[in-house]
Amino acid sequence: MSDIIHVLNGPNLNLLGTREPAIYGAATLADVEVLCRETASRHGLELVFHQTNHEGVLVDLIQAAAGAVGIVLNAGAYTHTSVALRDAIAAVGVPTVEVHLSNVFAREAFRHHSFLSPVVRGVICGFGPQSYALGIAALATDRQARA
Ligand code: CA2
């Protein structure tokens, strides 16, 4: 196994910090990346960080994470629609934490269902950018427990 954690971001997350601050906060995706890099380095892990607006590219990125310590995935709206992402997570067999900035359960009913939750290691939502840091810490702790 490598020492790498992949943080993958789905559609529209490139807009973070520029619109809808009441829901998603003021931090930009670049700020989230800095937080993830600091958290990974504290746990002695390397970080790969990507954002894409395209479902198939997310499938490719999940497959490319084969052999990694884990994946922290904010699939954005694809969380609620994508069988392809669910199949990719199940197929690659890398422990994956589904993260959301917002508390999806306090929002519209269509955000309460995730196609991904049944095949991930765990879900963290509602803590803003800290959801990502908590996801990285959880994967690092899991890895220690396995060692
Ligand atoms: O809370 C989350 O992290 C979400 O994954 C964000 C998705 C949403 O569809 C999920 O239900 C919950 C939306 C990401 C869109 O991000 C924006 C950021 C700034 C401005 C507009 C959209």
Side-chain angles (χ1 to χ4, degrees), residues 10-21 23-25 74-80 99-104 107-108 110-111 125-126 132:
N12 296 311
L13 286 160
N14 54 312
L15 299 177
L16 267 187
T18 67
R19 302 206 181 114
E20 301 198 63
I23 299 174
Y24 297 116
N74 185 350
Y78 291 141
T79 305
H80 316 299
V99 300
H100 300 285
L101 296 152
S102 63
N103 177 357
V104 286
R107 301 182 63 193
E108 304 95 323
F110 69 84
R111 297 186 203 275
C125 74
Y132 289 72

Side-chain angles (χ1 to χ4, degrees), residues 3 6-8 15 22-23 49 68 86 88 92 116-117 119 129 131 140:
D3 286 341
H6 293 242
V7 176
L8 306 180
L15 299 177
I23 299 174
F49 192 96
R86 177 194 179 120
V92 83
L116 315 183
S117 298
V119 296
S131 293

